[in-house]
Amino acid sequence: MNSLNKPIKFNNGAVLPNRIVMAPMTSKGASWDGIIEQDDFNFFGRRSETAGLVITGATSVSKLGEKFSYQMSIYDDRFIPGLTELAKLIKRNGSKVLAQIYHAGANSRVSYEKHGMVVGPSAIDFPHLPYEVTELTNEKYGRLLTTLVKRPNE
């Protein structure tokens, strides 16, 4: 137990105040649109009082990769203010923070509810899914990025 409470320094110079790591968990405290809200601030803020490293759970990297309702997202600049505030909150006691980036692929049920489309590595029929999966070919992937992801200065 004594070792758990001792700081640890990594080769890159980063120091954790202790050796306790909070594994990634989906807290479902963000808005329906993936913006971090007070429930997430409360959830992760409390855990940063103990853990030397906090890993956020299932942070969506795409509109078409959401499996969980109310999961935080990271695929657009509009998420930066909340993510920045969350990082500052977690780091206030010396803890470090990592975002677990996540794309649910064919199992992106919430993306289907929101956008009527789910993408995956191939157009296989998944009998357990109540929707079709759009194959991410190079051609389709390029079109999807153009139509679904807001780019700066557009």
Side-chain angles (χ1 to χ4, degrees), residues 12-129:
N12 67 359
V15 178
L16 300 182
N18 60 52
R19 296 158 190 237
I20 299 169
V21 176
M22 184 187 123
M25 291 184 259
T26 304
S27 59
K28 296 188 175 190
S31 71
W32 178 248
D33 293 328
I35 295 171
I36 296 173
E37 292 191 334
Q38 193 60 49
D39 285 347
D40 267 339
F41 292 124
N42 294 342
F43 179 83
F44 290 105
R46 281 192 304 271
R47 278 131 187 100
S48 71
E49 294 170 4
T50 304
L53 175 63
V54 174
I55 307 173
T56 67
T59 306
S60 180
V61 296
S62 169
K63 281 184 178 182
L64 299 178
E66 297 176 52
K67 180 176 183 173
F68 307 103
S69 55
Y70 306 100
Q71 77 183 91
M72 62 179 70
S73 296
I74 199 168
Y75 59 83
D76 189 89
D77 286 351
R78 66 191 167 106
F79 302 114
I80 292 173
L83 292 165
T84 301
E85 189 177 336
L86 182 65
K88 287 178 182 177
L89 174 70
I90 292 171
K91 293 161 103 180
R92 73 173 189 251
N93 294 319
S95 298
K96 303 293 186 217
V97 60
L98 296 173
Q100 178 194 45
I101 57 175
Y102 183 83
H103 191 294
N107 293 303
S108 301
R109 178 188 53 82
V110 170
S111 290
Y112 183 76
E113 292 172 15
K114 289 180 178 182
H115 308 292
M117 180 185 230
V118 168
V119 295
S122 58
I124 295 172
D125 178 34
F126 295 94
H128 67 284
L129 299 176

Side-chain angles (χ1 to χ4, degrees), residues 118-123 133-137 140-141 144:
V118 168
V119 295
S122 58
V133 176
T134 300
E135 181 178 14
L136 273 177
T137 63
K140 286 183 182 179
Y141 187 71
L144 285 170

